[in-house]
């Protein structure tokens, strides 16, 4: 077998293993079915939220870069799990969005998400719940850098 075929098969095998690992991680660590379904319905508002947050000059540059990379990932036609795979095809997009939103929450708190949310207040609450926002006693978020 030629060296080019060996490299191609090696890359293909590596991609297959990475894809299978991601599928297993999604199945093991995914949120409950109702939460995942709600996340899929909120996707258009989430996309607008991410774009608005990426343009917000009050957020740290590193966070805006992360949000810009998320927009690029979502716009890129190839996904880790193809969208034709039922539920899991879009779940990888949702999980990546949730990871980035968690970083926004850790760095900036709930304020920017609430300020830029384009949908209903119930939708905003669902997004914060999906992102596992930790509320303080009065519902306000703690300043960045304060304890857990």
């Amino acid at each position: 077998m030629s060296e080019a075929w060996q490299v191609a098969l090696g890359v293909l095998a590596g991609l297959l293993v990475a894809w299978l690992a991601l599928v297993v991680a999604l199945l093991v660590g995914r949120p409950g079915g109702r939460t995942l379904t709600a996340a899929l319905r909120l996707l258009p508002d989430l996309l607008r939220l991410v774009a608005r947050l990426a343009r917000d000059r009050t957020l740290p540059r590193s966070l805006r870069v992360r949000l810009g990379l998320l927009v690029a990932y979502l716009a890129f036609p190839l996904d880790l799990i193809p969208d034709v795979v039922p539920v899991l095809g879009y779940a990888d997009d949702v999980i990546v969005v949730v990871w980035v939103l968690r970083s926004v929450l850790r760095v900036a708190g709930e304020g920017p998400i609430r300020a830029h949310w384009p949908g209903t207040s119930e939708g905003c609450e669902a997004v914060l719940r999906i992102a596992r926002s930790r509320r303080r006693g009065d519902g306000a978020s703690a300043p960045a850098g304060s304890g857990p």
Side-chain angles (χ1 to χ4, degrees):
M1 187 181 314
S2 73
E3 187 175 320
W5 276 106
Q6 289 176 343
V7 170
L9 287 176
V11 168
L12 184 62
L15 288 172
L16 180 63
V17 168
W19 182 81
L20 288 173
L22 182 61
V23 168
V24 170
L26 288 171
L27 290 173
V28 171
R30 75 170 200 246
R34 200 176 83 208
T35 305
L36 186 60
T37 303
L40 292 174
R41 272 188 258 136
L42 292 172
L43 197 55
D45 286 337
L46 280 171
L47 294 175
R48 286 192 296 266
L49 171 69
V50 168
R52 289 176 180 182
L53 288 170
R55 290 188 305 261
D56 185 352
R57 296 271 186 214
T58 64
L59 294 176
R61 179 182 295 259
S62 63
L63 197 56
R64 290 193 328 253
V65 167
R66 216 171 302 156
L67 288 158
L69 289 172
L70 173 62
V71 169
Y73 170 77
L74 293 173
F76 192 66
L78 300 176
D79 285 341
L80 295 173
I81 299 176
D83 291 340
V84 297
V85 176
V87 180
L88 291 179
Y90 292 103
D92 67 329
D93 295 338
V94 172
I95 289 172
V96 172
V97 169
V98 169
W99 282 342
V100 173
L101 286 178
R102 283 184 185 172
S103 71
V104 171
L105 286 169
R106 276 194 311 270
V107 173
E110 291 181 8
I113 291 175
R114 289 186 185 280
H116 292 293
W117 179 252
T120 65
S121 60
E122 293 83 16
C124 184
E125 292 302 320
V127 167
L128 291 171
R129 191 171 47 253
I130 290 167
R132 294 189 186 151
S133 172
R134 292 190 180 149
R135 296 186 175 257
R136 305 297 175 208
D138 62 353
S141 63
S146 66

